[in-house]
Amino acid sequence: MSATAAPAIRARKGDGTPLVMVTAYDTPSARIADDAGVDIILVGDSVAMVVLGYEDTLSVTIDDIAHHTAAVARAKPKNAMVVADMPWMSYHVSREETVRNAAVLLRAGASAVKLEGGSKRLDMIGAILDAEIPVMGHLGLTPQSVHMMGGFKVQAKEFDAAKVLLDDAVALAEAGCFSIVLECVPDAVATMVTEAVPVPTIGIGAGANCDGQVLVFHDLLGLNAGRAPKFVRRYADLRSDAITAVAAFADDVRSGRYPSEAETYHFADGTGVPGLYQAANA
Ligand code: KIV
């Protein structure tokens, strides 16, 4: 179990220090996130698009998320709580299947699960909570609904949709979610929700007034090619650095500069190839 748990995150509501969450999908990235002092590591189903090359998040399964959650858990975060995303169709069929799937992620090393959607998910959320598994909600742009939403678009831009989102957020908090992600909604909507619910909101493309912020690891480090959404701030350009490093390795190999003497092992008697031949023919 990670050091921080759901009640500690829930208790951060209104303490004046924004929560920090980043995604991670493997052991080295989880170590980096924990060493950097984040509060929550999210094993997001964004792994589908960010790491596995899919066009949306619908292709990843509970086994995929469990595999990445176990890798993150093996980093043994000293501070950060590990939350794992429930992928599409892992919490849509029945209460039994939902609870079993949530348990798979806990056994893989998560301390809580996140799932997308509002009031229509309350039954499944209740079932997971009854199994003593903390739940993080996710409203606004919910990528698993990409086909229903007609694309990855900012949500709740009109009054009626904003009202539905607000009601959903209140319902999730009342149901027992310990925090709620708000993705790609106008800042006024995120502000209204943040003021209305007694649990921390964690924004991504939801303005500055949420109780915390989350970014995808590869986005904030500039690891992937292509245009990032407007809310992404890149704190590094590791893709360029990586290309430069790999190109330098290729150049060193092709020019004979790699490996050097210091990077080479030698035969026990120190004579190199002649000694090896002698030993083989003795
Ligand atoms: O899967 C993910 O990375 C997420 C974040 C964008 C919140 O759900």
Side-chain angles (χ1 to χ4, degrees), residues 23 42 44-46 85 114 138 181 183 204 214 216:
T23 65
L42 173 66
D45 62 353
S46 53
D85 247 342
K114 174 168 83 58
H138 184 158
V181 168
E183 179 165 356
I204 175 161
V214 50
V216 166

Side-chain angles (χ1 to χ4, degrees), residues 100-118:
R100 277 188 219 293
N101 285 329
V104 167
L105 300 184
L106 246 73
R107 288 195 170 126
S111 298
V113 298
K114 174 168 83 58
L115 57 80
E116 298 181 2

